[in-house]
Amino acid sequence: MGKRKVGALEKVDADLPNLQYKIRRDPISYKDDFLKQYSQYESHREIFLQAPSSATDAGIVSLRDLIDFTSHVADCFPEVTAKFPEELIQILTLHHHELESELREKIVGSLVLLRRKDVIDSSILLHALFPILMSTPSKSLRTLLFQKILSDLRTSNSKVTNHKLNRTIQTVLFNLVISDRTSSKALWAVKLTRELWKRQIWTDSKAVEIMKEASLADNEKVIVGGTRFFLGGDKEREELEDESSDEEAIDLGRMKHQIGINKKTKKKAKALESAVAMVKRKERKKKQPHPLNFSAFHLLHDPQGFAETLFSKHLQNTKSKLNLEQKLLVLQLVSRLVGLHKLTVLSLYSYFIKYLTPRQPSVTSFLASLAQASHSLVPPDVLEPLVQKIANEFVSEAAAAEVASAGLNAIREICVRQPLAMNDTLLQDLVMYRKSKDKGVVMAAKGLLGLYREVGADMLKKRDRGKEAAMGLKAGDRRERRFGEEEIGQIEGLELLEKWKEEERERKRLAGELREDGASEASDEDPDGWEVESNDSEDSGGWINVESDAEIEISDSENDAPATKKIKLDNVAASPGDDKENGMDAAAELEKRTSSLAMTRILTPADLAKLQELRLEASINKALPVSQRKRLAQAQAAQNRHADDPLTAAEIEGLAALSKKASKAEKVALAKDGKGDRAEHKSTQALRREKKESQGKSTTNREKARKKNFMMTLGKAKGKQKKSLVERGRVLKAHVERAKRGGKRGNKGH
C-alpha cells in the first residue's frame, strides 16, 4: 500500500509551531484554527483528569504539545483562554506527584511563560508554585521550582523594586518559619531569603527577621541555615558584587582595529554596536550612587533579646539536640552580636570556662568567640578569671610552642577590647615570654607588650615601658582609662588642620597678603575658593565690647577669625612676662579653640581634602627606620579594622604557624607562592609578539617573510641572480640614500 498524501490543511493542523507563527502574525485570520486546537486541548485534559495514572504515552505527548502551543498564543485570545492558567495550576497542584516528568516541567514552564506575557500576575504564580515546592518528593521538581521562583522574583525587581510583591512573599516565608518550628519546610524559606539577600534584591529588616526566627527554630538544619546567614551572608553579597565588577573588560580599540583591517560584515558591525552599548551601560552604572547595604547585624530590632534567647535556648539548654560543631556556630553568632552591639550577657562568659583547655576540639574557635564577645563595657572582674584560665592552661614552660603562642594571641585579642581585664602580676609574667627561644611565642609576647605600652604603660615595669610610653607617662599624656570611659567623639586629625590654617595665616601676614586687621584682601572669597557672603552691617568692622559675665555666642561668620588671631598674638607677646598660671590658661584656651573648629566653621571639600593629606603625612614618618615604619603601618591597619569583621580561629593560630618547623616541600611551596605566577622565560621579541597578538595586531613584514613557504620565495631569489652589475649598483645606491634620509618614510631625527 502506498504512502497516503497529506493535504495542505492537514499539514497546518499537524504543524503546531507553524500555526503558532501564523497566529502571532495574524490572530484574526487564524482564530478558527486556534479554536479547533483549543477544543482538542480541552478534550485531552478531561481524558487525562479522569485517570491521570493510566494515561497513554500518545495522550501525554499530545497534551504536552497542546499546552505548549496554547501558552504561546494565549495573549492573542485572552477571552477564550481566560481559564487556561487556572486549569494548569489545578493539574499541577492535584497531580504533581503522578505527572510524567516532561509533562510536569512543561506545565511549570508554561505558567512561567504566561507570567512573562502578563497573562497572570506574579503573586498568582508564586502562590501556586511555593506550596508544591515544600510538599513534592521529587528532587528534580524541587530544583526546578526553586529556580523559577527565584528567577521570577529577580525579574519582578529588575527595573523597580516591587515592594508589594516583596512584602507578600516575605509574609508567607515568615509565617512558614514560625508556624511549625520543628518542621524542615522552613529550610526553603531560609534558602530563598539567603539567595535574594546575596543578590541584593531583599536588603530590608523584614528579611533579617525571617532569618532571626529561623535561628530560633527547633529543627537543626533550619537553625544552622539561619546562623550561617548572619555569619556569612554579608560576605557572600560582597563576593558576588566583586565578581560582577571584575568581569572581563571589552577592548573597543582592539575591536575597531580588527574591523578596520578585516572584511566588513554586518555581524561584526552589530557586535561592535553591542560592545559600545555595554561599555556605556557599565559607565552609567559606575557613576550611579552606591546603595547603602547595611549589614544584617545592624538591621536587627532587638539584638539584646535575640542574643539572650539564642544563648539560653541552644547553648544553656541541656535538652538541645545540636552537636558541638552546630553549637560552635551559634556561639560565634552570639559572640558577634555581643561584641558588635556591646551587649551585656554575663552568663555567656562563665559558659566558656569548661572549653578553655588545649585538649578541647576546635579550641581556637572558642578562643576567637571569647575575644569577639569582649568589649569595653564588660566588667573587668568577669573577664579576669577567663584570662587567668587561658594563661594557666595555655601559657607555660611545659606547653608546646603552638599552644603558648595561641594562648598569648587570644589574651591579646581580649585585652585589645577590654584592657582592664589584665592585672599587673600576670602581665609582667606574660611579657617575660618575649625572651623565649620560639619565634611564634616571642612575636605573641611582643604583641601583648606593644599593646600595653599604648593602653596601660603604668602596669609595666620601667624597663619594659619603652621610650615613648615612659615620656608619655612623665608628661601626663598617657593615663589608664577607667571602666566605662569612652573617648570624646571628634574628627580625627582636626588639630592638624587647625595648625595648618594658623601657619598659612601667619605666612600670608608676613608676606603682606593680609591687612592690618587680619582679613585677606580678597575678602569676598574664601582661601579655598568658596564664595563667602559679605556682611555690610555697621558692626562688622570694629571690636565689640562684651561684658565679662555675659554669654559669648559663637557665630558662623568668619569675620571673628581675625579677632581670635589678634588675641593669640597678644598672648604670645605677653607670655614671657606672665606667670605659670597664665600659661596654663593660654594652653587651655588653645585646646578649647582647636576642639571647637568643626562647630565654628563649616568644613569645605577643600578642607576635607587637606585634612586627609595631613593625616597621611602624620601617619607616615619618613625619618623613621624601615622596621619602625612597618610596625606603625601594622598598628594602623589593626586600628582601621572594621567592627563588623569577624575574628576567626585562623587569626588566633596565625603566630602558631611560626613555631612549627616546615618541611622542605612546604618551604618550596611557600617560596613559589611568594614569587607569584611566573611563566617560562621568553625573549623580548617573543614578549612583544605576544603583546601584539593580545591586542589584535598583525606581525611585521619581516616576520611574515620568515614564515613564507620556500617555494614562494624561489622566484624572487632567481630574479636577484639575473641582475646585472648596473642594476645591482642602482639598488645599492638607492639603499644608501634611503638609509640617509631615515628609511622610506624619512623619519630620521634632525
Side-chain angles (χ1 to χ4, degrees), residues 286-564:
K286 286 181 181 179
K287 293 179 181 179
Q288 289 178 354
H290 194 275
L292 293 175
N293 293 329
F294 291 101
S295 171
F297 290 104
H298 296 288
L299 294 175
L300 287 167
H301 289 308
D302 184 16
Q304 177 73 38
F306 181 41
E308 290 178 352
T309 309
L310 266 178
F311 179 66
S312 61
K313 186 173 184 179
H314 298 317
L315 297 178
Q316 278 188 326
N317 188 10
T318 55
K319 297 181 181 179
S320 178
K321 298 179 181 179
L322 300 179
N323 56 29
L324 180 63
E325 184 180 356
Q326 294 168 345
K327 283 186 177 181
L328 193 54
L329 286 174
V330 177
L331 182 62
Q332 290 174 358
L333 176 56
V334 174
S335 63
R336 287 280 299 277
L337 287 169
V338 172
L340 183 61
H341 294 282
K342 294 188 176 182
L343 309 178
T344 304
V345 186
L346 297 182
S347 56
L348 171 66
Y349 303 99
S350 59
Y351 177 80
F352 279 101
I353 292 181
K354 62 180 178 180
Y355 296 105
L356 298 180
T357 172
R359 295 175 297 277
Q360 172 66 39
S362 304
V363 65
T364 51
S365 299
F366 283 101
L367 292 173
S369 300
L370 174 58
Q372 280 187 134
S374 306
H375 54 83
S376 59
L377 299 182
V378 179
D381 55 350
V382 175
L383 288 176
E384 191 170 349
L386 295 171
V387 174
Q388 188 71 47
K389 177 75 180 295
I390 296 173
N392 294 338
E393 293 284 344
F394 290 83
V395 188
S396 65
E397 294 292 341
E402 295 89 347
V403 176
S405 60
L408 285 169
N409 205 15
I411 291 174
R412 182 189 176 280
E413 291 293 340
I414 295 172
C415 295
V416 164
R417 294 159 174 79
Q418 178 54 286
L420 300 177
M422 179 70 69
N423 56 57
D424 303 359
T425 308
L426 181 59
L427 176 61
Q428 293 170 9
D429 184 25
L430 295 177
V431 165
M432 293 300 293
Y433 282 91
R434 74 184 188 277
K435 297 180 181 180
S436 174
K437 295 180 180 180
D438 186 80
K439 189 175 181 181
V441 178
V442 170
M443 295 293 290
K446 284 185 176 180
L448 186 63
L449 175 62
L451 169 66
Y452 273 92
R453 282 178 175 175
E454 295 290 333
V455 299
D458 53 342
M459 299 173 65
L460 297 168
K461 293 182 179 180
K462 288 186 178 180
R463 65 173 182 270
D464 296 332
R465 290 175 182 174
K467 181 179 178 181
E468 294 182 3
M471 292 176 63
L473 284 175
K474 189 174 182 180
D477 297 335
R478 298 193 182 188
R479 61 182 183 85
E480 184 180 359
R481 188 181 299 176
R482 294 176 295 178
F483 173 66
E485 183 181 358
E486 296 287 342
E487 290 184 356
I488 300 174
Q490 61 179 357
I491 301 175
E492 183 184 357
L494 194 61
E495 65 279 358
L496 300 174
L497 181 63
E498 174 72 11
K499 183 179 178 181
W500 177 79
K501 285 184 175 292
E502 292 289 344
E503 292 175 354
E504 284 294 307
R505 286 176 184 149
E506 188 65 24
R507 184 184 61 80
K508 289 182 179 180
R509 181 182 295 278
L510 295 176
E513 297 179 8
L514 296 179
R515 297 196 299 266
E516 291 298 327
D517 57 351
S520 175
E521 293 179 1
S523 58
D524 294 336
E525 291 187 359
D526 189 79
D528 297 328
W530 284 61
E531 295 182 0
V532 180
E533 184 178 356
S534 60
N535 190 358
D536 297 334
S537 63
E538 297 178 357
D539 297 336
S540 61
W543 292 88
I544 301 174
N545 295 326
V546 182
E547 297 293 337
S548 60
D549 296 335
E551 183 179 357
I552 300 175
E553 296 181 1
I554 298 176
S555 174
D556 291 338
S557 174
E558 293 192 11
N559 294 331
D560 300 335
T564 306

Side-chain angles (χ1 to χ4, degrees), residues 173-200:
L173 298 182
F174 185 81
N175 294 333
L176 175 65
V177 174
I178 64 175
S179 60
D180 187 5
R181 294 188 178 273
T182 59
S183 174
S184 61
K185 293 181 179 180
L187 192 60
W188 290 108
V190 172
K191 289 182 178 180
L192 191 61
T193 305
R194 186 168 184 173
E195 193 69 24
L196 293 171
W197 178 270
K198 182 174 72 174
R199 300 182 183 277
Q200 300 186 20

Side-chain angles (χ1 to χ4, degrees), residues 66-290:
L66 289 169
I67 288 174
D68 185 37
F69 166 75
T70 308
S71 61
H72 276 87
V73 296
D75 55 331
C76 298
F77 308 100
E79 297 85 3
V80 180
T81 60
K83 296 182 179 180
F84 178 67
E86 298 178 4
E87 293 169 354
L88 292 182
I89 293 173
Q90 181 186 8
I91 294 174
L92 188 64
T93 305
L94 298 177
H95 308 287
H96 61 84
H97 56 283
E98 300 175 348
L99 291 175
E100 191 257 344
S101 60
E102 293 185 3
L103 177 60
R104 190 169 55 193
E105 292 178 3
K106 181 59 68 177
I107 294 175
V108 174
S110 300
L111 287 173
V112 174
L113 181 61
L114 293 174
R115 163 68 188 94
R116 290 177 181 173
K117 293 177 177 293
D118 292 330
V119 177
I120 59 175
D121 192 78
S122 184
S123 59
I124 297 175
L125 175 65
L126 296 176
H127 279 93
L129 298 183
F130 199 75
I132 303 173
L133 173 67
M134 295 181 295
S135 59
T136 180
S138 174
K139 186 177 180 180
S140 59
L141 181 59
R142 288 199 301 264
T143 305
L144 177 65
L145 292 177
F146 183 76
Q147 292 175 352
K148 297 300 182 183
I149 290 172
L150 183 63
S151 176
D152 185 70
L153 286 171
R154 290 178 61 187
T155 306
S156 302
N157 292 274
S158 59
K159 296 181 179 179
V160 182
T161 304
N162 193 340
H163 295 287
K164 183 179 180 181
L165 177 64
N166 291 341
R167 284 196 299 269
T168 303
I169 302 302
Q170 285 171 352
T171 304
V172 171
L173 298 182
F174 185 81
N175 294 333
L176 175 65
V177 174
I178 64 175
S179 60
D180 187 5
R181 294 188 178 273
T182 59
S183 174
S184 61
K185 293 181 179 180
L187 192 60
W188 290 108
V190 172
K191 289 182 178 180
L192 191 61
T193 305
R194 186 168 184 173
E195 193 69 24
L196 293 171
W197 178 270
K198 182 174 72 174
R199 300 182 183 277
Q200 300 186 20
I201 299 172
W202 288 357
T203 56
D204 54 349
S205 59
K206 187 77 173 182
V208 178
E209 285 297 313
I210 295 173
M211 304 306 284
K212 172 185 171 182
E213 294 298 330
S215 302
L216 299 175
D218 295 330
N219 186 274
E220 292 84 357
K221 293 183 178 180
V222 179
I223 294 170
V224 172
T227 305
R228 288 187 186 277
F229 167 77
F230 285 102
L231 294 177
D234 299 324
K235 188 177 180 181
E236 289 179 354
R237 182 170 62 178
E238 292 173 2
E239 289 176 353
L240 186 66
E241 188 176 359
D242 293 340
E243 288 176 4
S244 60
S245 62
D246 291 342
E247 293 177 355
E248 187 176 354
I250 300 173
D251 192 355
L252 288 178
R254 177 182 176 181
M255 293 187 68
K256 290 179 180 178
H257 175 72
Q258 289 179 342
I259 290 175
I261 61 177
N262 295 336
K263 184 179 178 181
K264 277 74 175 174
T265 60
K266 290 184 179 180
K267 183 179 180 181
K268 292 179 181 178
K270 192 174 181 181
L272 180 62
E273 291 178 1
S274 62
V276 171
M278 185 177 293
V279 170
K280 289 182 179 179
R281 189 162 57 248
K282 285 185 177 181
E283 290 295 328
R284 285 196 301 267
K285 191 175 181 181
K286 286 181 181 179
K287 293 179 181 179
Q288 289 178 354
H290 194 275

